Amino acid sequence: CGGKPEDERIVKTLGRIKHKIVVLSGKGGVGKSTVSANIAMALAQAGKQVGLLDVDIHGPSIPRLLSLQDAKPHIEPDHMEPVPYSKNLWVMSLGFLIPDKDTAVIWRGPMKLGLIKQFVRDVSWGDLDYLVTDCPPGTGDEPLTALQTFGPQAHAVIVTTPQGVAVDDVRRSVTFCRQLGNPILGIVENMSGFVCPSCKAVHNIFNSGGGEALAKEMGVNFLGRIPMDPEVVRSGDEGFALMKVQAESATALAFKKVVEPI
Ligand code: ADP
């Protein structure tokens, strides 16, 4: 009643998505994209219908992580089909739309806002159990637009590493979500402990537990720890799905555990 037609379309699309999950981190390089991709895969492996949306406009890394660099979404005049990764996991990223991976995307706030809204409004996500959105680090335009487009029903997952400096950044992400009125599903501590390449056991060579301590202090759920695993780097570089190829590894099991409460 009186709403703009494009906004009505967003409402309609969102009405078909049961859970909207937005993955945030206080700073770059903590493994947010890796965690987003693996959370989406773990949910898909659990039999859910899952969409994975990459709104990292300046550095979209989801296509590479899933070995979908050459994929192109099917584009119709009034909508776009997301790229299928498996029978129940679909992906959309600006990386699919820019001509080559070396192209720098120079966009200002309002253009980013338009693109993110378009990714929700014009992509035929269909009926999904989960839409997992990978945001660039920090609390800038993209996470703000993503959370505002999804509204208060979007739940945040915050990724950190165990080091104190990353933990400080998490406080900002927690405050950001609280100011916007978005519930926080919990904190994931990534690169927590090290998977020995020969014996495959997880060793705590650096401090771990910083994320858990912070979660407790800030009254946020702790979703779990993902170890530092050379196989995660290899799977990211080569685009193979660790969740599929090494489904019983300590790291894959850690991702499965992280999605249990989600
Ligand atoms: P972000 O999205 O936070 O910038 P990425 O997901 O791109 O971070 O990860 C940054 C780098 O760290 C990548 O090379 C990735 O393979 C590596 N990485 C992420 N998580 C892990 C992990 N658990 N073990 C080992 N390497 C990891």
Side-chain angles (χ1 to χ4, degrees):
C1 42
K4 280 197 259 162
E6 62 262 37
D7 291 343
E8 281 167 18
R9 244 173 104 165
I10 291 182
V11 172
K12 212 167 153 192
T13 303
L14 293 178
R16 295 178 66 182
I17 302 171
K18 279 192 207 144
H19 304 281
K20 295 98 181 156
I21 297 177
V22 174
V23 184
L24 306 170
S25 69
K27 64 170 193 176
V30 298
K32 178 190 39 57
S33 300
T34 304
V35 170
S36 305
N38 283 284
I39 282 182
M41 281 192 256
L43 289 166
Q45 278 188 0
K48 308 293 182 193
Q49 303 293 319
V50 185
L52 175 58
L53 173 61
D54 177 8
V55 299
D56 193 337
I57 290 169
H58 299 286
S61 46
I62 294 292
R64 180 184 50 82
L65 282 175
L66 299 180
S67 208
L68 292 173
Q69 299 95 315
D70 300 324
K72 292 275 169 260
H74 180 71
I75 301 180
E76 292 284 336
D78 67 339
H79 72 273
M80 252 184 280
E81 300 286 340
V83 169
Y85 177 75
S86 66
K87 67 175 183 2
N88 55 342
L89 175 58
W90 294 270
V91 188
M92 181 51 75
S93 165
L94 180 68
F96 296 144
L97 305 175
I98 49 180
D100 70 81
K101 66 178 171 41
D102 299 324
T103 304
V105 178
I106 305 168
W107 281 2
R108 294 187 195 285
M111 291 167 76
K112 295 185 201 171
L113 191 137
L115 182 86
I116 293 171
K117 282 194 157 182
Q118 205 180 339
F119 274 164
V120 178
R121 188 186 59 217
D122 298 340
V123 174
S124 327
W125 291 106
D127 293 314
L128 292 181
D129 294 307
Y130 293 91
L131 180 63
V132 178
T133 301
D134 179 28
C135 290
T139 50
D141 285 329
E142 294 89 335
L144 179 65
T145 305
L147 286 174
Q148 286 180 335
T149 305
F150 293 130
Q153 43 179 311
H155 286 58
V157 167
I158 300 173
V159 182
T160 185
T161 55
Q163 285 75 27
V165 54
V167 163
D168 283 344
D169 288 308
V170 174
R171 286 177 214 274
R172 273 192 286 278
S173 302
V174 170
T175 315
F176 176 70
C177 295
R178 289 194 170 145
Q179 280 175 347
L180 291 169
N182 288 92
I184 300 167
L185 274 174
I187 292 176
V188 177
E189 189 174 283
N190 187 36
M191 306 202 216
S192 180
F194 174 70
V195 178
C196 167
S198 43
C199 76
K200 307 289 177 203
V202 179
H203 301 293
N204 283 317
I205 46 173
F206 304 119
N207 285 340
S208 67
E212 187 167 13
L214 183 74
K216 210 168 171 186
E217 185 194 315
M218 300 209 73
V220 175
N221 239 347
F222 183 65
L223 292 172
R225 296 193 170 82
I226 308 297
M228 185 182 280
D229 182 351
E231 286 301 315
V232 169
V233 183
R234 200 165 72 86
S235 68
D237 288 346
E238 295 175 15
F240 75 80
L242 178 101
M243 296 301 300
K244 202 149 68 186
V245 180
Q246 297 178 15
E248 295 309 315
S249 66
T251 308
L253 294 177
F255 278 117
K256 285 185 193 166
K257 211 163 156 228
V258 159
V259 301
E260 269 170 23
I262 297 179

